[in-house]
Amino acid sequence: QLRMTKMRKQLKLCISLLANSMKAGNSFTQALRHVTGDLDEPLAGEFKVLLNENRLGIPLETALNNMARRVPCNEMQALVRGVILQQQTGSNLVHILNTIFQTLQDREELRNKISVLTIQGKISGIVCVSVPFFMFMLMSKAQEGYSDVMMNTPMGHLLLLACGFLMALGSGLIYKIVSFKF
C-alpha cells in the first residue's frame, strides 16, 4: 500500500517529465530513459524493467501492459492506455500526456477537497459518540445517586446496553457516510 502511494505521487512528476522530454524532440523510449534517471524508486525500477523488456525484443505495447499489471493503479492504467492508443492511432503523445497529467492533478485536488469536507463528518461522529458519556458523567457528579438506577438495576443495564448498541450503530453509519474509496 505504501509503495503504491509513493508510485502514485511519483507518476504525476513522471508524466510531466515525459511530456517535456518529448517536447524537446526525444522519442518515447528516449524520454523514458531520461525520466528513469530523474525518478526515485520504486517507479524508476518499474520503468527500468520496461526499458529492459523492450531492449530484449518485447514489443513496447506488451512491455507497457506488463508494467500495468505490475503496478495495478488507475493512474498507471491511464498512462499505458494513452501511450498504446497513441501508437495505434498516431496521435500527439505530448498532448495525451498533458491531458493525463491534468486529469491526475484534478483528481488529486478533488481527493484533497473530499478529505477536508469529510473531516467535518468525522468530527461530528466523534462528538455524537462522546457527548452522551460526558453528559452522563457530568450529571452523575452534579447530583449524587443520579446514575444508581442505570448502574444497579437490570432495567438500567438493559437501557445502557441499548444505548451502547444505538451509539455504535450511529457511529458506524456516520463512518460509512464519510468514507470514500478513491
Side-chain angles (χ1 to χ4, degrees):
Q1 187 72 8
L2 187 61
R3 183 174 182 260
M4 291 301 291
T5 304
K6 192 171 182 181
M7 279 190 185
R8 280 191 180 107
K9 288 179 182 177
Q10 290 178 326
L11 198 56
K12 203 167 76 169
L13 172 67
C14 170
I15 292 170
S16 175
L17 290 173
L18 276 172
N20 290 336
S21 182
M22 291 184 69
K23 280 181 194 175
N26 294 320
S27 69
F28 182 67
T29 53
Q30 289 171 333
L32 281 175
R33 283 188 199 105
H34 288 290
V35 167
T36 303
D38 293 339
L39 289 176
D40 296 328
E41 290 297 327
L43 197 58
E46 292 298 332
F47 280 107
K48 287 176 186 173
V49 171
L50 169 75
L51 288 170
N52 288 336
E53 285 180 351
N54 189 252
R55 274 190 221 127
L56 292 173
I58 296 174
L60 187 60
E61 184 176 335
T62 306
L64 283 166
N65 284 325
N66 291 341
M67 185 174 66
R69 269 187 247 115
R70 286 191 307 269
V71 184
C73 69
N74 293 335
E75 292 83 356
M76 184 62 78
Q77 295 290 331
L79 174 64
V80 168
R81 286 185 193 133
V83 172
I84 291 173
L85 179 68
Q86 183 275 333
Q87 287 183 342
Q88 291 173 348
T89 61
S91 60
N92 185 358
L93 184 56
V94 174
H95 178 69
I96 291 171
L97 292 174
N98 286 333
T99 304
I100 292 170
F101 175 78
Q102 188 62 44
T103 302
L104 294 181
Q105 205 166 14
D106 292 344
R107 236 187 219 183
E108 185 177 338
E109 189 177 313
L110 185 63
R111 267 192 199 123
N112 291 339
K113 282 182 182 178
I114 289 173
S115 175
V116 167
L117 292 173
T118 58
I119 287 175
Q120 180 184 359
K122 291 174 185 175
I123 290 173
S124 70
I126 291 169
V127 168
C128 286
V129 170
S130 62
V131 164
F133 290 114
F134 177 72
M135 291 301 293
F136 185 74
M137 289 174 40
L138 186 68
M139 293 298 284
S140 296
K141 295 289 181 188
Q143 185 177 359
E144 287 294 320
Y146 178 78
S147 62
D148 289 346
V149 173
M150 295 297 271
M151 298 301 230
N152 298 327
T153 64
M155 183 58 128
H157 293 157
L158 187 62
L159 287 173
L160 286 174
L161 187 64
C163 288
F165 172 74
L166 290 174
M167 287 170 50
L169 180 67
S171 65
L173 287 173
I174 289 172
Y175 177 77
K176 189 83 166 161
I177 290 170
V178 299
S179 296
F180 290 98
K181 288 193 177 187
F182 300 103

